[in-house]
Amino acid sequence: PPWWAPPAAASRFGAVGATCCFSLANGFAALHPSGFKASYMDVTRSATGVVTGVGNTLASLAAFVGPVVVGLLLQRLGSWAPSFCAIATLQLLAALAFARFSTATPVDEEKPSADLAR
């Protein structure tokens, strides 16, 4: 929720309203990983831990680098517009890469290795 929602709930509905807002926010936040955690199982069945580790590492790097880059853009250019354009461009490139390279077949099922063939 926006930063003002819990204080607004507290001022209008008291502590119970603020508690309900925080509970709903945490509940919805807990639902979001179910969509992408299942995707790791779609990529591979035998190396899910490795794929999960790589995915979490990339996400952590993005969570570290993103605010630094946005801060630099804001400091140098003085506007949010370049930041939003850069994010939109990256999202578009990621969507195009996904559309080009994604398949419905798990990676480890595409080419059976010699160990699995025996």
Side-chain angles (χ1 to χ4, degrees):
W3 63 270
W4 50 263
S11 66
R12 183 161 184 191
F13 301 109
V16 173
T19 302
C20 288
C21 275
F22 278 119
S23 297
L24 283 171
N26 284 330
F28 286 122
L31 293 175
H32 93 278
S34 60
F36 69 83
K37 294 287 185 186
S39 297
Y40 292 138
M41 296 296 287
D42 291 338
V43 172
T44 179
R45 301 202 197 283
S46 62
T48 306
V50 173
V51 173
T52 302
V54 170
N56 287 341
T57 300
L58 293 174
S60 295
L61 289 173
F64 173 77
V65 172
V68 173
V69 170
V70 170
L72 288 172
L73 286 173
L74 281 173
Q75 187 177 29
R76 292 201 176 139
L77 302 175
S79 172
W80 282 95
S83 298
F84 289 132
C85 288
I87 292 168
T89 302
L90 286 173
Q91 292 291 325
L92 180 63
L93 292 173
L96 292 172
F98 178 80
R100 168 65 180 96
F101 296 111
S102 67
T103 67
T105 306
V107 173
D108 51 6
E109 289 182 11
E110 287 181 0
K111 297 177 186 173
S113 68
D115 294 335
L116 295 176
R118 286 187 238 171

